[in-house]
Amino acid sequence: GENVEQHPSTLSVQEGDSAVIKCTYSDSASNYFPWYKQELGKRPQLIIDIRSNVGEKKDQRIAVTLNKTAKHFSLHITETQPEDSAVYFCAASTPLPTGRRALTFGSGTRLQVQP
Amino acid sequence: GAVVSQHPSRVICKSGTSVKIECRSLDFQATTMFWYRQFPKQSLMLMATSNEGSKATYEQGVEKDKFLINHASLTLSTLTVTSAHPEDSSFYICSAPQGEGPPYNEQFFGPGTRLTVL
């Protein structure tokens, strides 16, 4: 099955700095890579996603890059703000034996933005 | 975007009792729903796939007789934790994918259910 590894597990940055979180995946059949922000006790919130036919996507301060050959993708947050502090998860959409696709999540990164 | 609801949001029960959690797609039909479990400070782990009109499929290590899944309709899936024990205490989250044909893209998550077994 799919294995998604995520690094670092914790990340502390100063307000205004950039933050980068990296993930690798193992299944070349994975074709969709979302990133989620999760606050304590709440559902994951989709912040950006990328499909396997695209190498980079940007949405204001957030960007994601995908390297299919190397099987890795990264989240970039620029001009970080204290409200960016949360746990971030990467995920890969992989096929199940049934033909459906489910998400395999990385282990998460706790981002702390210091004012 | 599509909306998925879950009920209850929080439940506390005694060891040995059964707990039912409902997951509903409010404005779209979902022949497939997924159930995830998240222990404190850990990631979301897929437990099972709920399939409308057929049996649920379970991930390795998940006991199908303990976690009963019923996809009752195109908008409702239920997860019943039978004979719950303290180690079942966790955050249970359901999701439903957008669209019914491959490839599936965005999944919409319910708000989650916090289960505490005393």
Side-chain angles (χ1 to χ4, degrees):
Chain A
E2 174 66 281
N3 181 43
V4 178
E5 295 191 356
Q6 182 172 346
H7 301 279
S9 57
T10 60
L11 180 59
S12 182
V13 299
Q14 292 293 316
E15 183 177 359
D17 287 349
S18 295
V20 179
I21 303 171
K22 298 183 178 182
C23 288
T24 61
Y25 63 100
S26 60
D27 191 342
S28 57
S30 293
N31 66 354
Y32 171 66
F33 307 91
W35 285 88
Y36 295 93
K37 177 182 181 182
Q38 188 181 31
E39 297 178 351
L40 189 63
K42 296 189 176 181
R43 78 185 89 191
Q45 175 191 357
L46 179 70
I47 57 171
I48 196 167
D49 56 13
I50 191 167
R51 292 174 174 76
S52 58
N53 59 347
V54 176
E56 184 174 356
K57 183 177 179 180
K58 187 175 181 180
D59 182 5
Q60 298 183 338
R61 297 187 297 110
I62 297 173
V64 57
T65 58
L66 171 65
N67 183 326
K68 282 173 50 180
T69 302
K71 295 193 184 70
H72 66 70
F73 56 114
S74 301
L75 176 71
H76 304 252
I77 305 174
T78 58
E79 300 173 26
T80 54
Q81 302 166 2
E83 50 266 37
D84 293 330
S85 297
V87 179
Y88 291 80
F89 291 99
C90 63
S93 176
T94 53
L96 300 173
T98 56
R100 308 297 192 191
R101 284 181 173 267
L103 293 176
T104 300
F105 285 83
S107 53
T109 297
R110 182 172 299 278
L111 174 64
Q112 184 70 41
V113 181
Q114 306 289 344
Chain B
V3 178
V4 175
S5 70
Q6 252 181 272
H7 179 79
S9 59
R10 187 179 296 268
V11 58
I12 301 173
C13 68
K14 293 182 178 180
S15 184
T17 60
S18 294
V19 174
K20 179 184 284 188
I21 303 170
E22 293 186 348
C23 177
R24 293 182 184 272
S25 55
L26 297 186
D27 52 0
F28 67 105
Q29 293 182 337
T31 59
T32 300
M33 291 183 177
F34 299 103
W35 286 95
Y36 294 86
R37 179 169 55 183
Q38 186 177 32
F39 292 110
K41 296 187 178 181
Q42 293 189 22
S43 186
L44 286 81
M45 297 296 293
L46 179 67
M47 297 177 65
T49 304
S50 177
N51 305 299
E52 193 272 338
S54 63
K55 292 182 179 180
T57 52
Y58 292 82
E59 295 302 297
Q60 191 173 9
V62 178
E63 299 174 58
K64 62 180 181 181
D65 294 331
K66 181 170 183 61
F67 299 98
L68 302 180
I69 291 173
N70 180 30
H71 205 117
S73 72
L74 288 172
T75 60
L76 173 64
S77 174
T78 60
L79 168 68
T80 301
V81 184
T82 63
S83 186
H85 291 284
E87 57 265 31
D88 299 322
S89 298
S90 188
F91 193 50
Y92 293 86
I93 308 177
C94 68
S95 74
Q98 179 187 36
E100 293 299 320
Y104 300 110
N105 292 324
E106 183 177 356
Q107 288 198 23
F108 297 92
F109 287 88
T113 297
R114 171 74 59 193
L115 171 62
T116 302
V117 184
L118 302 177

